[in-house]
Amino acid sequence: MPLSSPHLLGLQGVPREDIQLILDTSTTFREVLERPIKKVPTLQGKTIVNLFYENSTRTRLSFELAQKRLSADTINFSTASSSTKKGETFKDTVRNIEAMKVDMIIVRHESAGVPAYLTKISKANIINAGDGRHEHPTQALLDMYSIREKLGKIEGLKVCIVGDITHSRVALSNIYGLISMGAQVSVCGPSTMIPKDIEKLGVKVYNSIDKAISEHDVLNVLRIQIERKANSTFPTLREYHNYFGITAERLEKHNKEILILHPGPINRGVELSSEVADGPYQIILNQVTNGVAIRMAVLYLLGTRP
Ligand code: CP
């Protein structure tokens, strides 16, 4: 069965079968990444553009690597070195790239809704690599894959997303994806960082990190998005760390195994202490490795969709 949509704009409304198919296909590509020759000819002849209007390390590099591992032709666009600086509009930029006969567009943009807009002005398959505060579907997929890899399942697990929920596209995609896969999802953070009415999405709200640690199997700890002025929602970073930071002392106090994810980049000493960021419970670099396999699976499933 192919994916139900030619685009991946978010996980809201994506059928469980589609998420399952992406996770299962990623397992095959994860094996490819362990081979001495980490390349397959699957997307030979396809041309993919990485259209990044916002900074990225993990997502941009892992999409590019995934494209190369699948033998696609890859071109990269970044605003700093483009004619956007000369005043070209977003629509004109896309139409010019489209005229070079690209098959797929991976887009990151500071404005929510840009990937959906692209589907209206381009014939290419569109993949959202993060749009404003809206969604970051491949991050949530790699988070779910990493949880399943470590704990053997997603269904029935209690997963708490910690931190700056209001500014986070990672939170929203994780909430949609995890609920669809049968997890019980909560959020935890200062009330100024929790959107009003978030319970309507089917999540429970915690304001105590100690209670959240004691009642969950998995913590997905989000970055405080200083560039989106998130630090104006609490007095100081030190205060945030004191009340919501995940520290070794906090984890030891509860004396339980808990899986810790973080999408990166980490603010060390803010959302995680360095001891936890490098410690035995976290799987942060596994997430990064799995991100390549997830992106290979998404590219393959969309690029070969009938
Ligand atoms: N997790 C994530 O999206 O990281 P980048 O901003 O580095 O791509």
Side-chain angles (χ1 to χ4, degrees), residues 52 54-62 108 129-130 136 138-139 142-143 169-170 223 227-228 262-265 287-288 295:
F52 277 65
E54 202 188 67
N55 294 343
S56 169
T57 298
R58 280 145 290 269
T59 312
R60 189 173 60 79
L61 292 181
S62 74
R108 171 170 286 196
H136 191 352
T138 56
Q139 178 67 48
L142 75 89
D143 291 345
R169 53 199 178 207
V170 176
R223 182 172 67 88
E227 78 281 13
R228 293 190 213 276
H262 190 300
Q287 290 174 260
V288 176
R295 286 162 182 136

Side-chain angles (χ1 to χ4, degrees), residues 3-9 43 46-51 63 67 94 97-98 101-107 115-116 118-129 298-306:
L3 290 176
S4 53
S5 167
H7 311 292
L8 181 64
L9 305 180
L43 290 187
K46 294 276 184 189
T47 305
I48 306 176
V49 58
N50 297 306
L51 194 63
F63 262 118
Q67 291 151 14
V94 171
I97 292 171
E98 176 101 348
K101 308 289 179 198
V102 301
D103 300 294
M104 303 174 92
I105 300 177
I106 318 303
V107 63
L118 271 180
T119 64
K120 310 274 186 281
I121 60 170
S122 167
K123 292 191 184 67
N125 303 103
I126 308 298
I127 300 176
N128 180 1
V298 170
L299 292 167
Y300 162 72
L301 290 166
L302 293 181
T304 59
R305 191 175 172 276

Side-chain angles (χ1 to χ4, degrees), residues 16 24 51 107 117 132 136 180 190 204 210 214 216 222 260:
R16 181 180 176 136
D24 292 346
L51 194 63
V107 63
Y117 172 66
H136 191 352
S180 174
K204 208 170 150 184
D210 286 301
S214 73
H216 291 84
L222 304 177
I260 295 177

Side-chain angles (χ1 to χ4, degrees), residues 279-292:
Y281 297 122
Q282 58 78 30
I283 54 165
I284 295 167
L285 294 181
N286 303 51
Q287 290 174 260
V288 176
T289 306
N290 293 335
V292 179

